[in-house]
Amino acid sequence: MAPCDLSVLIAAHRLRGEVPVAVASVFARAAGAVVEVVVASDDGTDYAEVLPPDPRLRFAPIGPVASGAHAARNRALALARGAHVLMLDGDDALEGPVDAIARALGAIGTAGAILVPTIVRDAAGEAMRRIPALGTQRFGFGDWASAFTSLHLLTRRDLAPPFLPFRLIDDVMFDLSVLAAVGGAVPVADGLAYRYQLRAGQATDTQGGRFDAEYARALGLIAADGAGFGRHAGDAAAVLRRWRAMNRLAGGGGSRPGLGDYHRTVAAYLAGAWPAGRRC
């Protein structure tokens, strides 16, 4: 096999209809780059059965069931052969032109990683938010604190840490760790985007209290020993504290908000339509 430029890591749990769409979205944007997709099942099924034969597809051995996205992502990461890695949820997708991945890889330069902008789409596919705004060229810890949604870094493989055992924010901790490793700021990809598709029943469609508990645990780890963030431990903690406050502001107690309510609250807060939110 030719040297692989990028390994896209997909953890899959009961997403047999969605994973083929996610995989197709990667290959549709891989012109000019050598890309592989590593699928790690977390539900005891073989996703090869629902995907067309393709040498760019690899599958982690079927193993534990419901071990969590972090564990499945680590199984995929262990198999990754790419010089760079990018995580993609099995019910999300990539967007952009056919050469979007190659363009993003070419723009990394010496930075070590690049931010793939997130487009939050509602159940009908309409865009609710785009983070960061079009035209943004660099993104750092200070910007991350006001993102209030999962972002994704395409990063050099040697900078990718193991995913920590969190059920809801393992991706957040992963990206903040990479951001710290590369000095606190990264360039922003022009063209490639991550489609965060809101869908009833997804892991984040849950009670806000679960997020609150995970933010509290993460902040405790940082307070105890820095959690590997080094000189950026305070920056990472500031992001998590602010996101925890937004979760609470958006009704993050024992109730489950309506699908998309969190992002509607965030959009209103960032637009200045909710003065009370300025406390977070």
Side-chain angles (χ1 to χ4, degrees):
M1 179 181 176
C4 183
D5 299 314
L6 175 66
S7 297
V8 178
L9 317 177
I10 296 181
H13 182 81
R14 297 180 180 175
L15 295 173
R16 293 174 71 79
E18 292 83 0
V19 166
V21 176
V23 170
S25 79
V26 176
F27 293 152
R29 284 151 190 88
V34 180
V35 174
E36 68 174 10
V37 174
V38 186
V39 180
S41 171
D42 194 38
D43 59 17
T45 61
D46 186 352
Y47 281 79
E49 297 175 355
V50 297
L51 291 165
D54 192 307
R56 297 172 294 178
L57 275 170
R58 302 179 67 211
F59 300 89
I62 297 175
V65 174
S67 59
H70 67 281
R73 287 169 176 151
N74 280 330
R75 293 194 290 274
L77 183 61
L79 293 179
R81 298 179 296 197
H84 302 82
V85 297
L86 172 69
M87 72 179 110
L88 175 63
D89 283 351
D91 54 355
D92 291 334
L94 298 183
E95 299 185 7
V98 295
D99 64 344
I101 290 174
R103 286 168 54 181
L105 289 167
I108 290 177
T110 61
I114 192 167
L115 176 70
V116 178
T118 288
I119 301 173
V120 181
R121 295 194 180 275
D122 65 17
E126 294 297 318
M128 298 180 67
R129 299 179 61 213
R130 187 188 194 281
I131 311 97
L134 283 169
T136 304
Q137 295 184 341
R138 286 189 67 78
F139 208 78
F141 275 107
D143 308 295
W144 222 282
S146 293
F148 300 121
T149 192
S150 294
L151 295 173
H152 298 81
L153 289 176
L154 191 163
T155 181
R156 277 197 343 239
R157 173 65 178 85
D158 62 298
L159 295 174
F163 291 88
L164 297 176
F166 289 88
R167 287 281 175 165
L168 295 171
I169 65 167
D170 63 300
D171 55 343
V172 176
M173 296 296 284
F174 176 92
D175 281 325
L176 292 179
S177 294
V178 172
L179 190 62
V182 299
V186 291
V188 178
D190 176 21
L192 184 63
Y194 186 104
R195 176 177 180 144
Y196 176 22
Q197 181 61 60
L198 298 180
R199 180 183 64 85
Q202 62 192 169
T204 53
D205 180 22
T206 187
Q207 295 177 351
R210 293 186 62 205
F211 276 102
D212 192 78
E214 294 223 336
Y215 288 134
R217 184 159 71 91
L219 287 166
L221 292 175
I222 295 174
D225 61 8
F229 287 107
R231 65 185 179 90
H232 289 290
D235 298 320
V239 171
L240 295 172
R241 282 195 298 269
R242 191 164 159 81
W243 285 28
R244 186 185 189 191
M246 177 58 75
N247 176 62
R248 290 177 169 181
L249 184 70
S255 63
R256 168 186 266 172
L259 191 66
D261 283 356
Y262 172 82
H263 290 286
R264 281 185 278 272
T265 297
V266 168
Y269 166 80
L270 293 176
W274 196 347
R278 303 198 184 283
R279 292 174 303 194
C280 79

